[in-house]
Amino acid sequence: MNTKDWRTYLVTQKSLSDGKRTVEVVEAAIDGGVDVVQLREKDTDARWRYELGRKLRELTAEAGIALLVNDRVDIAQAIDADGVHLGQSDLPVAVARELLGPEAVIGCSTSTVEGAIEAEAAGADYLGVGAIYGTDSKEDVPKEKNGTGLELVSEIAAAVSIPVIGIGGVTASNAPPVLEAGATGVAMISEITAADDPATATREVAAAVTGEVDSDD
């Protein structure tokens, strides 16, 4: 699986979906051309995520879309996901690799160059870098204070050879600069999940990051 081809990356979170079911959001995102889906769903129990994950695995497998699980290696194994995305407080990348095997995709979140280099050395396939413009998905960090900016993307992209995915406050209008800074793709939660029409929102982001339309359209 070539993570370098991932341009538009959806991270699910029902609490930020304006009442829409996650399955409906994922269906719409697939219709809109999303490249990869990450099952996040913080603050839900393992059984609920497992049951949802089974449904998302069916949808993504049928569409030929990668499915990753946030944090939980066990759930990724149970639903036959393509891999996991790990944060700094989750299992180490090397341990996840040992458990999931060489074919699994393992992503790792980082906000420092040192962390990026360590994750690559440990066997990560790609890095999630941010929050670039700030984010509403981390309740303990004020949005106006948690943006890392585009400079960090450039620094990390220059320091590693694996793909960099920018995340945090990314929209169709501000996504192109993230790629210009060195990222290979962008990840979003609310830009897609909270949209009135998630399919159209996905389509607009996909067009923006591939240069098919002007980002101001």
Side-chain angles (χ1 to χ4, degrees):
M1 185 169 292
N2 192 351
T3 56
K4 291 181 179 179
D5 293 334
W6 292 352
R7 298 288 180 268
T8 308
Y9 185 133
L10 169 65
V11 182
T12 74
Q13 186 60 44
K14 188 176 187 300
S15 62
L16 298 174
S17 68
D18 196 29
K20 293 183 289 294
R21 294 171 56 241
T22 296
V23 169
E24 295 171 354
V25 171
V26 171
E27 286 177 330
I30 289 173
D31 183 56
V34 77
D35 296 310
V36 53
V37 174
Q38 180 192 134
L39 171 62
R40 184 174 184 264
E41 306 300 334
K42 293 286 189 179
D43 303 320
T44 61
D45 60 48
R47 181 60 177 267
W48 191 89
R49 267 183 277 182
Y50 164 71
E51 295 294 351
L52 174 60
R54 291 178 61 193
K55 297 174 183 176
L56 299 189
R57 175 72 288 185
E58 291 181 10
L59 291 174
T60 54
E62 182 177 352
I65 301 296
L67 174 66
L68 307 181
V69 176
N70 182 274
D71 300 351
R72 298 292 298 263
V73 172
D74 56 340
I75 294 177
Q77 290 175 313
I79 66 172
D80 195 28
D82 296 295
V84 293
H85 184 88
L86 304 172
Q88 293 300 309
S89 61
D90 298 324
L91 282 177
V93 170
V95 174
R97 174 65 67 203
E98 183 176 350
L99 291 170
L100 294 175
E103 300 303 316
V105 174
I106 298 178
C108 183
S109 293
T110 184
S111 58
T112 67
V113 172
E114 294 78 8
I117 293 171
E118 290 175 3
E120 180 179 30
D125 295 295
Y126 76 92
L127 301 170
V129 175
I132 295 170
Y133 298 117
T135 177
D136 291 323
S137 67
K138 296 183 182 296
E139 297 178 355
D140 57 335
V141 182
K143 183 175 182 180
E144 68 275 12
K145 295 182 179 180
N146 69 1
T148 59
L150 297 171
E151 184 177 352
L152 179 65
V153 175
S154 297
E155 292 173 352
I156 289 178
V160 299
S161 59
I162 56 178
V164 170
I165 303 291
I167 188 170
V170 178
T171 67
S173 61
N174 66 25
V178 181
L179 275 75
E180 292 167 7
T184 56
V186 293
M188 294 140 292
I189 302 180
S190 56
E191 175 72 358
I192 293 175
T193 62
D196 292 336
D197 185 345
T200 296
T202 305
R203 211 168 282 122
E204 290 174 348
V205 173
V209 297
T210 56
E212 292 180 6
V213 297
D214 187 274
S215 61
D216 293 327
D217 286 351

